[in-house]
Amino acid sequence: MTAGLQTVIYPVKDIAAAKALFSALLEVEPYADEPYYVGFKAAGQDVGLDPNGHAKGMTGPVPYWHVSDIRDRLAALREAGAEVLQDVQDVGNGRLIAFVKDADGNHVGLLQDPTS
């Protein structure tokens, strides 16, 4: 089951500058503020900044679909012709993410929370 788009992650080169920009835009302080990831929650969305995103193949923001079974959805996307750019990875506390590239070069992310 898919719960919808609730997360977008931006690849950034200067995490401090990106954090200042998104703090000004969203008018909230980050809930996660680490050298490897900064995350904000605003307007029902989770907005993340990933300083390693470009190295992972992210060419722009990646929307993440929240799913109940990430491995099943990832297999379905592979079968439908998607290229896996990041296989399933635990990013902390049991939260799993992965992302693919479709035939048009668009990135599609998957996210599974441990309660799903």
Side-chain angles (χ1 to χ4, degrees), residues 51-105:
N52 301 306
H54 293 288
K56 297 177 193 171
M58 296 170 77
T59 57
V62 176
Y64 282 78
W65 290 87
H66 287 233
V67 298
S68 58
D69 186 336
I70 193 169
R71 287 178 176 78
D72 180 60
R73 291 297 86 221
L74 185 58
L77 291 175
R78 278 184 181 140
E79 191 172 310
E83 175 188 346
V84 176
L85 295 178
Q86 179 182 310
D87 207 347
V88 176
Q89 174 184 356
D90 188 322
V91 292
N93 298 322
R95 178 174 260 197
L96 305 176
I97 65 170
F99 74 92
V100 302
K101 179 169 64 172
D102 70 11
D104 293 305

Side-chain angles (χ1 to χ4, degrees), residues 10-19 22 48-54 58:
Y10 291 81
V12 298
K13 293 181 179 164
D14 182 337
I15 198 154
K19 180 171 80 171
F22 278 92
L49 309 175
D50 184 349
N52 301 306
H54 293 288
M58 296 170 77

